[in-house]
Amino acid sequence: MRQDAPHEAHQVRTSGRRKRTLNTHQVVLLVIAAAAPLAAMVGNVPLALARGNGAGFPAAMAIATAVLLCFAVGYSAMSQRVINTGAFYTYVARGLGRIPGVSAAYVAVVAYTALACGLAGGFGYFTDLVLRSAGIVLPWSLYTAVAIGVVGLLGFRSADLSAKVLGTLVVAEFAILVVFDLAGIAHHGGGAFPTSAFAPSNVLSGSLGIGLMFAFVSFVGFESAALYGEESRDPIRSIPRATYLALLASGGFYLFTSWIVVGVGGASRVAADAAAQQGGYVFGLISREGGEFVYGLAAVFLCTSVLASLLALHNAAARYLFALGRERLMPAPLARYHPRHQSPHVASMLVTATEIVVVGAFALAGAEPYGTLAASLIGLGTVGVLTLQAAAAVSVVVFFRGRRDRRLWATTVAPAIGAAGLLTALVQVVTHFSTLTGSDDPVIQLLPLLLAAVAVAGIGVGAWLRRHRPAVYAGIAPSELRRRTAIAHERITYTRRYCLVGGGPAGLVAARALLAEEVPFDWFERHTDVGGIWDADNLGSPMYESAHFISSRYTSGFYGFPMSEELPDYPAWWQIRDYIRAFAREYGLYDHVTLGVGVQQAVKREDGTWDVRLSTGEQRHYAGVIVAPGVTWHPNRPRLPGEDVFTGEVRHSVTFRDGLEFRGKRVLVVGAGNSGVDIACDAARHADQAFLSVRRGYRYIPKHLFGLPTDAVLNGVLEPPKGVVVPANPNQLIDSIVGDLTRFGLPAPDHDLLTSHPIMNTQVIHYLAHGDLIARPDVDHLTANEVMFTDGSHERIDVVLLATGYRYDVPCLDPALLTWNEGHPQLYLNVFSREHDSLYLLGMIEFADAAYQRFDEMAQLVVMDIRARETGEHREHLRLLKATDHPDLRGGTAYLDSPRHANYVESHTYQQRLAELRDAVDWPDLDERSYDRLRRHAATLTGTRR
């Protein structure tokens, strides 16, 4: 049958579903560790005091914190509307477009990897200083190698283990800063907080720009919260909350501690002393205020601070590589994650290898670990991260521009302040790069150009992919709008009545949608009951006794009415029929349908209204017509050469009911679609000999993987068994399970798994392997009692059953009303007639997905348009879209060139486009509770009748 199959590439590309293990406070620890608070205080504060605005630096830190909080306000607002798979670059793609998104992604990989390499060198340098003071003298590269090994091991393991380790190290960092702060307050009282630090004369002294530069640099890493969205238990809350908490915690400590540094160091001399002592300045204050023991701890914790930052940024780089591997912007193996540790272990190993190569090259060249290695690469990474932050901030502003749900402060003013501040910081960093790195080496000064080259290359790659690899391009930076189900519209009284045709699943959901909106309508079904094709007693139904759903009960079902757990994984046709009728009873739909009456003709008047003639002969008049005709009622019955002389039986599969029909006969089934292989299996069980004729190679997908329904596993509805890894490439998975089909006489598949409608059946392989079914090529012609095949072989055949599919037809409409392509009507979003504003068709769509919820979303478009026609709101916008909008609903996928696939859509792309249209007109999304009010109303009516 036509129905349903696993969701397509966008859903399965992630190699299954990653285990969510992180809570909010663990994400906060990962983020704070990336910023390395102790290292920021020890390394950045003296430079800011000496080269920036001196005693006014606490004000610069306050400004940076405020700017970043403004950005966080916009980020939080966007995260409430956009679901993304991780990092900020997905926001760049959503706000500025996929090509800038590709550029941002490559910049991010280079930036985070550079930061990790630079910090590895910094760790070796500081550890060498600490141990050298204790009389232990070893090469710095040895300490760096140990750090890379430890970080590589932790990165290979799960993020929650990294969070536990980082939690200990971050607490230690904060503890030593707290001890210093408290000691300073104890020794100096109110003098630890000099008001002069915020006096305009100090704030504007020296170079405020350089002061702000070092302040913003101290926060590099706070944006990494977004990278842990897929590993968080509740990313909707955790990621924005973690971003806020990390900013407030880090910003509060930075402001508090830098203010105390100015207080205990003396506002009048702090700039000169910091310039003289540089990296030792804060350590000197810690020693003076806290004593030698605290000083010793601070020295050790500085090393662990750098190590913690190295681990956090290593994890960030690995997750960027994971995301880019998944989106095929980098090699696909990077998208694998460990079956037990649930970590992006391949990407982590690549980052580790890069750290070894880069740091090893610097060491072999005799480069100084801090002044050259750390300074250059941390500087490079800082420019990259600030670029990413600034681009994301601009993207927030652009995303909300012109949107109906924009809010002045949260989506415009606050993110604009954040964007302006971050762009200012970026300009300062690039302008004063030598000040940031502490190096005048001309090679180091040219490093920002490397990032510029990477950004330009990313733009080039994005443009090339758009032109030459549209499927890959469509999958870049996947994000979707978060569902909004609480939008309330003012109830209106509709004055126009509509005609609904058809009582199958699409007609049922259309009726429910019309009832919920209180749109007047008359509904006709020519059969004596609802159910459409699933009612085998309905004349022309293609049902047969062995027919089952090819999507599992886990992924199928209507909104608000899931399939019962008592049903098997793949229900039989009669169970689907009973489920559909139970749905109709649950929502009181039987009260609104006229059964046993069909619509014979619908003719449009010049004023856009419709005259409808019923099978009773009655004529009615309507404002519009909604047709849900089904697509498997009209057999595609080709004539075979020689059929007129063939003495056997040739018939279409629509006439088939039971395999018992084949007893004592030699049967040839022509066509290897889902119905064809089902019937071929029936023939294998009952016929004297069964044959299957196929023209091309198909892919046969097993209904179960690891004992679980295939679609539920590939879509992440059910977790695979522990220790099982679902490959990123579904072709690889299916090919490894099914094996070489040519062994059974079948042609090799001539397409990727999801570029053709999937065949959910592996029983056919069983029967081919046992000889109960024999594969043959295409039919050449028939003789009196034989079938001749294109390879010259021939077989004596009694029955030729043509499983050659069905053609689209809308019997109640003049075909000239619609534009057709390869036998498919050309409709806007596969719902709206482009030529006739009051004509809607439902269910006339092909995709590899469970159908019923998609039908419901299509019905929402109909009701949305009817409301626009009634109220005038969005009316012209929708009419313009129908006339001019031609979106790519294939998501760049190159489907097989066949009539069946002429209007095929990629399900995820289609869902996104419908969601964006609903969002544009402020229409609520559907969820499991959208129709609760209608259900309760139906229950009340039922109770009244009883």
Side-chain angles (χ1 to χ4, degrees), residues 251-520:
F253 263 96
Y254 289 166
L255 173 59
F256 197 68
T257 301
S258 63
W259 196 0
I260 290 177
V261 165
V262 172
V264 302
S268 61
R269 62 179 186 277
V270 68
D273 290 348
Q277 301 175 37
Q278 296 196 15
Y281 181 65
V282 173
F283 270 134
L285 295 179
I286 291 174
S287 175
R288 190 182 76 191
E289 302 296 325
E292 288 301 313
F293 178 73
V294 174
Y295 168 77
L297 288 177
V300 172
F301 290 159
L302 173 62
C303 298
T304 61
S305 174
V306 175
L307 181 64
S309 184
L310 169 58
L311 174 57
L313 293 168
H314 172 102
N315 285 339
R319 277 149 184 81
Y320 265 108
L321 288 171
F322 175 89
L324 298 189
R326 174 178 55 198
E327 293 163 27
R328 290 180 282 177
L329 293 173
M330 296 194 78
L334 292 171
R336 296 175 185 166
Y337 67 98
H338 198 279
R340 183 156 60 92
H341 301 312
Q342 304 293 313
S343 63
H345 65 298
V346 176
S348 178
M349 288 190 293
L350 178 59
V351 176
T352 299
T354 303
E355 291 164 355
I356 292 171
V357 170
V358 172
V359 174
F362 273 85
L364 290 174
E368 200 272 326
Y370 187 74
T372 303
L373 171 58
S376 59
L377 295 182
I378 291 175
L380 175 66
T382 298
V383 173
V385 171
L386 284 175
T387 301
L388 183 66
Q389 292 175 355
V394 172
S395 299
V396 173
V397 177
V398 173
F399 174 78
F400 282 104
R401 184 184 59 189
R403 288 179 55 87
R404 292 169 61 89
D405 57 347
R406 67 185 184 278
R407 302 189 301 277
L408 181 61
W409 168 251
T411 65
T412 304
V413 176
I417 293 172
L422 286 164
L423 287 170
T424 299
L426 177 61
V427 170
Q428 289 294 323
V429 167
V430 173
T431 304
H432 302 287
F433 194 66
S434 61
T435 303
L436 176 66
T437 61
S439 172
D440 292 324
D441 189 317
V443 175
I444 293 178
Q445 299 314 301
L446 293 175
L447 283 177
L449 295 178
L450 173 62
L451 282 175
V454 170
V456 171
I459 291 172
V461 169
W464 185 87
L465 289 173
R466 183 173 62 181
R467 182 176 180 85
H468 299 286
R469 301 282 299 279
V472 174
Y473 182 78
I476 291 171
S479 64
E480 56 191 63
L481 294 172
R482 200 175 301 283
R483 288 182 177 270
R484 294 191 298 168
T485 60
I487 299 173
H489 286 126
E490 179 184 353
R491 292 200 172 276
I492 64 173
T493 300
Y494 287 88
T495 59
R496 302 170 183 176
R497 182 170 288 272
Y498 291 79
C499 177
L500 173 60
V501 183
L508 289 167
V509 296
R512 184 173 67 163
L514 292 166
L515 286 170
E517 185 62 21
E518 300 179 358
V519 176

Side-chain angles (χ1 to χ4, degrees), residues 1 35 72 168 212 239 284 370 421 431 437 477-478 508 585 661 722 729 757 776 778 781 812 935 943:
M1 304 309 298
T168 302
L212 285 170
I239 302 307
Y370 187 74
T431 304
T437 61
L508 289 167
R585 288 191 295 272
E661 301 169 17
K722 186 176 181 179
N729 184 348
H757 197 71
R776 287 288 182 258
D778 197 13
H781 67 277
C812 65
R935 169 184 275 165

Side-chain angles (χ1 to χ4, degrees), residues 56 74 80 366 425 448 521 634 777 865:
Q80 291 170 16
F521 69 101
H634 309 285
D865 191 70

Side-chain angles (χ1 to χ4, degrees), residues 699-702 704-706 714 724-741 743-744 749 753 762 765:
R699 290 186 179 275
Y700 299 90
I701 303 175
H704 286 86
L705 295 175
F706 323 115
L714 293 183
V724 171
V725 180
V726 180
N729 184 348
N731 290 308
Q732 174 188 346
L733 175 64
I734 300 305
D735 288 348
S736 64
I737 292 174
V738 175
D740 181 9
L741 294 172
R743 293 183 57 244
F744 309 115
L753 181 65
T762 46
I765 306 300

